[in-house]
Amino acid sequence: MTTHVWDYLPEFERERADILDAVDTVFRSGQLILGASVRGFEQEFAAYHGIKHCVALDNGTNAVTLALQSLGVGPGDEVITVANTAAPTVVAIDGAGATPVFVDVRPADYLMDTTQVAEAITPRTKAIVPVHLYGQCVDLAPLRALAAEHGLLIVEDCAQSHGARHHGEPAGTLGDAAAFSFYPTKVLGAYGDGGAVLTGSAEADRNLRRLRYYGMEHGYYVTEVPGHNSRLDEVQAEILRRKLRRLDDYIAARQRVARRYEEALADLAAPGGLELPAVSPGNNHVYYLYVLRHPQRETILERLREQDIALNVSYRWPVHLMSGFAHLGYAKGSLPVTERLAGQIFSLPMYPCLPTGLQDKVIGALRTVLGSL
C-alpha cells in the first residue's frame, strides 16, 4: 500500500457517527441554504478567535477575493504578497481585479520577508496579503506599522494556519480581514470545499454578506455592485461546527506527529543538507504541513517512491514564474530564496490520525535514503 501525505479515512472512521449525524441534522432541518448551520458556524468560528464577525463562504480562494473586495480593493490597485504560496492566493488577488506584487521569503522559515515590503510600496499599493504558511504566522508588527504609515490594508491568508498563534494572538485577528480555507486537507477541514472571512469591521461584514449572495441584501435585487454566488453549504457548515469543537485536539495531534519527526531526524540535520522546520519566535506552529529541505530532493523523492512512499512538494513552481502570470513581468532570479526553495522542499505525511506504524515506515525509509547520499 502506497503511503501518502494525507488520508481522511482514519479520521472519518473515528468520527463517522458525528459526521453522519451532522448530515442528518441538516437534511431534517428543512433549510439547505444559508440556514441555522451556517449562522451557527459563523458565530462559533468568530467566538473561537475572539473577533466580531465571520462570513462563511464556498472556498478559500473566494475568501481572499471577497475579503479584498469588501475592503474596497479592486482594479488599478496593487497588492503585495509572496510567490512561495499556493497559486490560489495570487489567483484570488487577480480575481479582485488587483495586481499582485511579490516580495521574497525568509530562508529560515519560508515566510514573507517583511523587510522587503517597504521598497515594494508604490502610489498604487492598496493592501498587503501575508501568507501564514505551513501552520505558523508571519510577524505582522512591521506590516501593521507600514500599513499605518502608508494607509494600507492587511488581509491575512490563513488557509494553512487554523488555530495558530503569534505571541498568543490568533492568526486571523491581526489585520483588517482574514481569509480561511476549509478544504479537506486543512487543519480544520470540511468534507468538500469551504471558506470564511473574519473581520472586526461591521462595514466589511455587510459588504461580504452582499458579495457572497450576488450583491443582494433582500430578495433578488442587487443593491450596490454585482457580487458572487459564494455561499458555504449547510452540510459543510454543520460538519465544520462539529469539527471546530475538536480543533485544539487536531492541533495537539499534529504537534505530536511533528515532535516524533523532529526526534527521529534531528541527528541527520545539517547546514547544506537536511533542514527541519524552523519555528519562528513567538509562534505556536500547528503543522498544516511538515516541510523538510534538502538539495538532493529529487533523488530522495525518487528513492522513496520505489518504496511506495509518495510525498508532496509545496510548492514546486513559484507563482511568479508560472506562465499564467508572465504578464506580471517577473524574470527568473527575481525572487532567489523562493526559487531556491522550490527546488529543495518536500513534505512528510501529516494529519492527526496518522498511524504510528506509517510514520515509522516513512522515518525509517527516509533515514536509509539520507544515509546513502
Side-chain angles (χ1 to χ4, degrees), residues 297-364:
R297 179 191 69 196
E298 293 307 311
T299 299
I300 293 170
L301 295 184
E302 181 181 353
R303 294 185 183 176
L304 289 174
R305 278 194 297 270
E306 293 170 356
Q307 301 180 57
D308 290 326
I309 298 173
L311 303 183
N312 280 358
V313 176
S314 299
Y315 300 93
R316 187 182 293 273
W317 299 284
V319 178
H320 70 293
L321 298 181
M322 293 180 180
S323 58
F325 291 104
H327 63 282
L328 296 176
Y330 287 86
K332 188 173 183 179
S334 57
L335 300 175
V337 178
T338 294
E339 294 168 32
R340 188 161 60 251
L341 290 175
Q344 297 181 350
I345 55 178
F346 61 102
S347 303
L348 300 186
M350 171 57 74
Y351 49 97
C353 290
L354 177 65
T356 301
L358 286 181
Q359 188 177 16
D360 289 340
K361 174 185 175 182
V362 172
I363 291 169

Side-chain angles (χ1 to χ4, degrees), residues 263-293:
E263 292 167 359
L265 298 171
D267 64 308
L268 299 179
L274 180 69
E275 295 188 27
L276 303 182
V279 181
S280 295
N283 273 339
N284 176 43
H285 202 314
V286 298
Y287 293 101
Y288 168 60
L289 297 176
Y290 192 87
V291 179
L292 301 179
R293 181 178 176 186

Side-chain angles (χ1 to χ4, degrees), residues 53-183:
H53 306 289
C54 171
V55 179
L57 302 168
D58 56 343
N59 59 67
T61 307
N62 283 340
V64 176
T65 296
L66 271 64
L68 290 168
Q69 291 180 325
S70 74
L71 295 167
V73 178
D77 296 327
E78 293 179 348
V79 176
I80 298 171
T81 191
V82 294
N84 182 42
T85 183
T89 301
V90 186
V91 169
I93 294 170
D94 182 79
T99 300
V101 174
F102 298 113
V103 296
D104 214 342
V105 296
R106 304 191 301 193
D109 58 14
Y110 318 152
L111 299 172
M112 175 182 275
D113 187 343
T114 57
T115 65
Q116 297 186 17
V117 173
E119 189 174 346
I121 295 172
T122 75
R124 294 177 58 195
T125 305
K126 187 69 174 286
I128 306 168
V129 176
V131 180
H132 298 316
L133 196 68
Y134 303 149
Q136 66 174 330
C137 299
V138 177
D139 181 3
L140 293 193
L143 297 185
R144 293 171 75 172
L146 284 172
E149 179 182 353
H150 295 276
L152 305 179
L153 299 158
I154 296 177
V155 174
E156 300 171 70
D157 183 339
C158 299
Q160 302 185 7
S161 61
H162 311 73
R165 292 176 178 267
H166 185 69
H167 293 296
E169 297 296 323
T173 65
L174 302 173
D176 296 280
F180 288 80
S181 168
F182 304 120
Y183 186 75

